[in-house]
Amino acid sequence: MQLTRKQRRRLRKTLLASSCALLGVMPSAMADKGDWTFDTSALFYSEVGGILVLEPMILAKQDRGDDSYLTLNIVGDVLTGPTPTGGMPSSKSQTVTGPSGKKTTAIAPGQTPVNKYFKDTRGAVKATWSQPLGDLWRLDWGGGVSLEDDFKSLAANALLARSFNEQNTTLSGGLSYEYDSINPIGGVPQPLSVVPAAGGTSPVAHSRSKNIKGVLIGVTQVMNQNWLVQMNFSYGASSGYLNNYYKQVSVIASQATAQTALGDPLYQIYENRPSTRSQRTIYLRNKVYLDGNVLDISYRYGWDTWGIRSNTLGLRYRWALSDHFFLEPQLRYYRQSAAYFYRRGLLNSEPLPAFVSADYRLDAFTGRTIGLEFGTHVSKGSWWPAGTLTLRLEHYTQTGGSDPQVNIGVQQNFSLFPGLSANIVQVDYSFGF
Amino acid sequence: MPTLSRSTIHSDFDSNVAAGLELGPEVDLWRARFTAMACPCEVLIDTSDKSVASNAANAVSMEAWRIERKFSRYLNDNIIYKINTAAGQAIKVDEETERLLDFAACLYQTSDGLFDITSGVLRKVWHFDGSDQLPDSASVRDVLKLVGWHRVQWQAPYLRMPAGMEIDFGGIGKEYAVDCAAQLASVASAVPLLINFGGDIVATGPRTKDRAWKVAIESTAQDQPTPMVELKRGGVTTSGDARRFLLKDGVRYGHILDPRNGWPVRDAPRSVTVLEVNCTQAGVLSTLAILQGRGAEKFLRKHKVTHWVSR
């Protein structure tokens, strides 16, 4: 009777499962002190004609004994490809100058202005410590650092949970704080000022900052052995520099002149957003176990002081084809209204508003995601540990948007709200030692 | 399997135990004493209420006596007797015996044959009386033919064993009884208990004000201080050969036998104490550690077991 190396290593766990079966009790979370589990993944996000994102991630969790865990999360991001500046198409050629003022992109007549040389890399590390406080309480606290070419972020959070009703009910409350410093290449442009045609800016500062304070209140309720309900309310208050310094707004001709056709952009200005925003979200999730399969239905309603109201409906069904293989179809429907200061563009005849942005993410739109996830257990190989391999494929489409005020003259010939479609592929391998 | 004696573990009380159940008040708890499974048994009940203490102590002692009666190999009217005298016939066992046999099968498998409930017949040739009477190799070889769980056909609920073989739950029975008694008493009342059956100990929960139970481990080394274990919940057991051995030509043969060759394990520690989530689990790990001989400490470290070893 020879045991495999893994079985030998797992001796204590095997014995525990076995002694608990003997005593007719559930195995308690055994202090397998020092054991690490890993979740590694790579995500590819590719917009049709747009940006490409590559995001590798490692999540490592260590059992520190006594039901305490240390979790480390390391994420990298590389983002490249053309991104819309927010500007409107023109009947003439346009030139988009990058923030550095060096690289320019020529935009053909009728095309949406994009910055072809947009590139950003991000690295983030997050650590969370989770421990029980007595039999009924649990505390999670942690912090993180995120670095980008033009952005630094520090965050801290704490979450306290208490279980009631023989652990069938868990109430949790959390606080979070994030401090971000934004250091645009070429400096912070003056909001609402005209973007210089030759590129470069006359910066008003080297950097700006913002902070985000968050509160979370949640309840998780075990309804019966096959049904779990989760409800969350979250509040987030951002204040400081909330602009995206890359984003511009076109000012178009409200009357035809000898040089300019009706509707053609005359110049662009830098966007300006209010310096505070508070967001509230209600989240409701149902997880139902149906004969080995899992149905997951979630709904989120969000509203904020910028006037964006959003509804998200999510549906997932994990279908266990065998002990070792599952399929999970996923559907997501998202719809939001526009921020009150969103404009596709401005007319040169109208007074300059205090706040304006042409960022399509602040516009009204509908997003639809259809996805499929496959998962399979993988046996130990010559150089890889046993684990679970999952592959997720998603297709996302975004449509919507309107701004009748600027849909004049030549603009009527152009596609002002092209929408977007993207494909997402994620490969994930989770394993333990 | 090798029959192991436990060194005495005591919680600062003497081991002079009366027969039957005896209940007495302590400073801030009640203590009950009785004898079961040929060893002194004690229950500490963290309450000032005598009737609560009495109920808990009764539940614990009744369970100890029930398990002793059902699984003792010294009685001739229980399931163990029936199995050991079946002479090759299949015996149908009840649900509790079935669980114990499943557990024994798992132990045999995970321990690579080191933990074997059929090894008791080795006692026929080994008499650990402190003398120099070693058995000869031929008689050990002969009796080894009757040892080995792999010779047993176990297809729950039926067990069939070649004639002459015997099973013995001695290596897990006392720990199992401790855990069962703890469960039973916990169902009856939420009062925290410390149960000690001859050195196999379990605490059902922390004492009032979240205080730990203090358990002293009797060290076999005279010059070493007695280690104290602080225990809030879980099991503590000690395996060792402190008192039972043979001595020949200056070689000390401990009473821990390796069921694979029928000889005592060489270089086994004098005692190994293990702290685990339950008493059964602790007992198995302390026994397995002893069976590793020289490698006991390495085994315990490798499996991240909380332990104390005395050599």
Side-chain angles (χ1 to χ4, degrees), chain A residues 21 45 56 79 106 114 173 222 253 300 346 395 420:
Chain A
Y45 169 94
L79 197 150
V114 293
V222 178
R300 187 192 302 268
L346 293 171
H395 181 68
L420 70 87

Side-chain angles (χ1 to χ4, degrees), chain A residues 23 25, chain B residues 34 37 42-44 55-64 66-67 174-197 200-205 213 231-236 277-280:
Chain A
L23 300 169
V25 295
Chain B
F34 58 96
M37 294 171 279
E42 284 147 325
V43 191
L44 296 183
N55 285 343
N58 273 320
V60 170
S61 59
M62 295 300 280
E63 183 66 355
R66 181 189 73 80
I67 290 171
K174 200 143 57 75
E175 295 90 331
Y176 170 68
V178 168
D179 283 330
C180 288
Q183 275 185 359
L184 213 63
S186 302
V187 170
S189 128
V191 130
L193 306 178
L194 186 76
I195 299 175
N196 176 1
F197 291 177
D200 291 331
I201 295 176
V202 82
T204 61
W213 298 93
L231 183 65
K232 284 189 178 175
R233 180 178 279 120
V236 177
V277 287
N278 62 49
C279 193
T280 310

Side-chain angles (χ1 to χ4, degrees), chain A residues 107-299:
Chain A
I107 309 298
Q111 296 298 304
T112 303
V114 293
N115 177 2
K116 206 163 98 184
Y117 298 101
F118 186 78
K119 188 169 189 286
D120 200 9
T121 51
R122 180 175 77 107
V125 181
K126 211 166 90 180
T128 306
W129 176 259
S130 173
Q131 68 175 88
L133 298 174
D135 280 348
L136 297 172
W137 294 84
R138 174 167 279 279
L139 175 68
D140 291 13
W141 56 274
V145 182
S146 176
L147 297 172
E148 285 175 44
D149 297 343
D150 55 359
F151 181 88
K152 287 183 197 73
S153 168
L154 284 172
N157 62 76
L159 184 79
L160 191 62
R162 188 192 193 279
S163 49
F164 296 90
N165 188 16
E166 292 178 350
Q167 312 229 335
N168 283 323
T169 310
T170 307
L171 273 184
S172 51
L175 294 173
S176 64
Y177 181 79
E178 180 181 327
Y179 177 84
D180 300 339
S181 122
I182 302 110
N183 303 274
I185 300 149
V188 180
Q190 172 71 42
L192 304 179
S193 69
V194 174
V195 180
T201 55
S202 38
V204 292
H206 286 300
S207 68
R208 284 278 190 257
S209 68
K210 71 167 187 280
N211 65 68
I212 307 164
K213 300 178 187 90
V215 178
L216 176 90
I217 298 164
V219 58
T220 306
Q221 176 68 45
V222 178
M223 305 298 279
N224 62 42
Q225 57 181 15
N226 294 319
W227 182 20
L228 193 88
V229 176
Q230 188 188 349
M231 277 175 289
N232 280 347
F233 171 78
S234 67
Y235 173 81
S238 315
S239 81
Y241 185 77
L242 305 179
N243 293 351
N244 185 333
Y245 71 92
Y246 280 108
K247 296 294 183 186
Q248 306 169 359
V249 182
S250 291
V251 178
I252 62 170
S254 58
Q255 282 183 323
T257 63
Q259 294 84 28
T260 317
L262 175 67
D264 257 344
L266 297 166
Y267 53 89
Q268 337 291 333
I269 60 172
Y270 288 107
E271 68 157 37
N272 192 30
R273 307 180 185 193
S275 61
T276 59
R277 180 186 195 182
S278 48
Q279 294 164 287
R280 292 165 183 83
T281 336
I282 290 173
Y283 177 64
L284 179 69
R285 183 175 187 182
N286 275 275
K287 254 189 155 170
V288 186
Y289 297 84
L290 300 164
D291 201 22
N293 302 324
V294 185
L295 177 67
D296 185 334
I297 304 174
S298 62
Y299 171 72

Side-chain angles (χ1 to χ4, degrees), chain B residues 68-139:
Chain B
E68 175 178 23
R69 164 114 218 104
K70 185 164 177 183
F71 298 111
S72 168
R73 67 186 162 89
Y74 300 106
L75 299 176
N76 59 8
D77 59 352
N78 62 11
I79 183 71
I80 298 299
Y81 181 81
K82 212 171 145 190
I83 290 169
N84 289 344
T85 55
Q89 294 298 306
I91 298 290
K92 185 177 178 183
V93 306
D94 62 285
E95 191 269 339
E96 188 181 25
T97 310
E98 182 180 319
R99 276 188 282 121
L100 278 161
L101 288 169
D102 280 342
F103 185 59
C106 171
L107 285 181
Y108 179 78
Q109 207 161 37
T110 47
S111 70
D112 250 353
L114 261 183
F115 208 120
D116 192 331
I117 60 165
T118 67
S119 66
V121 291
L122 286 167
R123 271 188 309 268
K124 288 176 179 164
V125 291
W126 289 93
H127 304 284
F128 296 98
D129 47 11
S131 74
D132 63 351
Q133 300 294 309
L134 293 191
D136 59 73
S137 303
S139 56

Side-chain angles (χ1 to χ4, degrees), chain A residues 69-86:
Chain A
Y69 301 91
L70 173 69
T71 309
L72 298 173
N73 190 355
I74 304 167
V75 184
D77 256 328
V78 184
L79 197 150
T80 57
T83 50
T85 61

